[in-house]
Amino acid sequence: MDFTVETATDAVVDSFRETKDQRLRQIMESLTRHLHDFVRDIEPTLEEWEAAIGFLTEVGHKCDDTRQEFVLLSDVLGVSMLVETMNGSEEGTESTVLGPFHMTESPRRELGDSIDLLGTGRPCVVSGRVLAADGTPLPDTELDVWQCNEEGFYDVQQPDVQPPGNGRGLFRTDGEGRFWFRTVVPSHYPIPTDGPVGRLLQATGRHPYRPAHIHFIANADGRRAVTTHTFVAGGPYIDSDAVFAVKSGLITEFSESHEEQDAERFGVTAPFTHARFDMVLAPEAEGTR
Ligand code: BEZ
Ligand code: FE
């Protein structure tokens, strides 16, 4: 049969019929159908298709050990969050994208330590509990935390300004599943825009900003680990995250506290900024949404 606009999809789908791995066959067939429908829909000129291949080539060239432009592309197209959401737990805290700045090992810290190694920012305490869905505390949960500073930069972006490990900490919850640490209120910041993904955002009139957030990975024995953020309520871009990662259950008030007793317990002086963020971890065997 001649290869025509009408017969193209069947011809390519049929070419995968000997695929032994049934999942791979399903994926290739579906990819073919959707890709062909997309091409029939937009009817690209040869120059446009060449430009598309050129764009993807640039995305590849931008990748190295510390930069993953394909993940960034997946992020700004909402695919990363779609996959996260489809694989998220039904009863646990919602997950969000890992992001590119979890690239170094967080230093182990004690509960109550400060992750603001420069001590120049407005003091903020983040506290909370890690629990099972029925409220049972999860002691000894490992909490990996990372965030940018008040200017919107991670330590790895400012090696001449911030010491390595600034804004990062690896904590363990206490016997009642509690955690607390000192830090600064993070700022909103732009995702990396010096590559083809940045150009795509500019060409489509989109801004590159993420609302202010603190990243967490919570990991406890017998529980599904969760990669998530808590977002600063009311901050810029909370309704238009460039990577679509905001979920209302993850938004936290960072409010001014005048509680002297809390201040003493947390090793700060009142008034201080206090954010309370609890996390729920589903059992390991629980299915996905
Ligand atoms: C981040 O939150 O670190 C991040 C996530 C996705 C893309 C860029 C940055
Ligand atoms: Fe981030």
Side-chain angles (χ1 to χ4, degrees):
M1 209 196 311
D2 276 351
F3 188 98
T4 66
V5 170
E6 288 74 32
T7 64
T9 305
D10 283 347
V12 180
V13 165
D14 191 52
S15 76
F16 293 119
R17 69 183 176 282
E18 304 289 342
T19 309
K20 293 213 167 47
D21 180 332
Q22 288 310 299
R23 177 67 173 153
L24 178 60
R25 180 176 173 177
Q26 179 198 10
I27 290 169
M28 293 315 297
E29 285 189 10
S30 180
L31 176 68
T32 303
R33 290 187 201 287
H34 285 91
L35 197 54
H36 284 206
D37 280 348
F38 167 67
V39 169
R40 277 187 285 260
D41 183 29
I42 61 167
E43 298 188 67
T45 63
L46 288 173
E47 289 73 23
E48 284 174 332
W49 195 243
E50 210 175 296
I53 300 290
F55 175 79
L56 290 176
T57 305
E58 268 189 75
V59 171
H61 283 159
K62 195 72 190 166
C63 294
D64 58 27
D65 287 350
T66 57
R67 177 74 177 258
Q68 232 307 345
E69 196 77 355
F70 275 113
V71 176
L72 205 58
L73 182 58
S74 157
D75 291 344
V76 302
L77 293 179
V79 180
S80 304
M81 272 310 289
L82 188 56
V83 176
E84 279 290 343
T85 304
M86 289 167 73
N87 284 281
S89 124
E90 264 167 29
E91 62 172 68
T93 293
E94 291 169 298
S95 61
T96 60
V97 291
L98 178 69
F101 298 116
H102 185 254
M103 46 166 59
T104 62
E105 213 169 291
S106 297
R108 179 143 321 262
R109 301 197 196 280
E110 299 300 320
L111 291 172
D113 280 356
S114 182
I115 62 172
D116 167 32
L117 304 181
L118 295 172
T120 46
R122 190 158 55 101
C124 167
V125 173
V126 179
S127 68
R129 295 180 85 191
V130 184
L131 307 161
D134 64 1
T136 310
L138 296 175
D140 227 24
T141 299
E142 189 173 80
L143 272 189
D144 195 346
V145 178
W146 69 106
Q147 66 164 83
C148 67
N149 65 10
E150 288 183 308
E151 277 77 51
F153 295 103
Y154 287 85
D155 58 348
V156 289
Q157 295 175 293
Q158 286 188 312
D160 299 335
V161 178
Q162 299 185 44
N166 192 42
R168 297 177 195 266
L170 197 57
F171 296 93
R172 269 191 189 279
T173 58
D174 73 3
E176 293 171 58
R178 293 178 304 194
F179 68 90
W180 65 99
F181 59 89
R182 288 171 290 139
T183 183
V184 292
V185 180
S187 170
H188 56 280
Y189 64 82
I191 63 169
T193 54
D194 59 338
V197 171
R199 281 207 333 271
L200 175 68
L201 292 183
Q202 194 164 32
T204 52
R206 281 178 53 178
H207 73 72
Y209 286 94
R210 299 218 56 213
H213 58 272
I214 301 176
H215 295 259
F216 291 86
I217 298 175
N219 214 330
D221 280 351
R223 299 273 146 185
R224 289 184 60 173
V226 70
T227 300
T228 193
H229 307 0
T230 190
F231 292 92
V232 179
Y237 307 106
I238 195 80
D239 293 321
S240 64
D241 185 356
V243 303
F244 307 97
V246 179
K247 298 199 175 178
S248 53
L250 302 178
I251 300 177
T252 300
E253 292 293 337
F254 282 59
S255 41
E256 189 166 271
S257 171
H258 293 266
E259 296 290 331
E260 294 289 349
Q261 268 187 340
D262 281 352
E264 200 174 323
R265 187 157 65 93
F266 295 136
V268 292
T269 46
F272 63 100
T273 303
H274 193 181
R276 290 188 176 86
F277 180 56
D278 290 343
M279 276 168 275
V280 173
L281 299 188
E284 208 151 43
E286 190 231 1
T288 54
R289 280 180 213 280

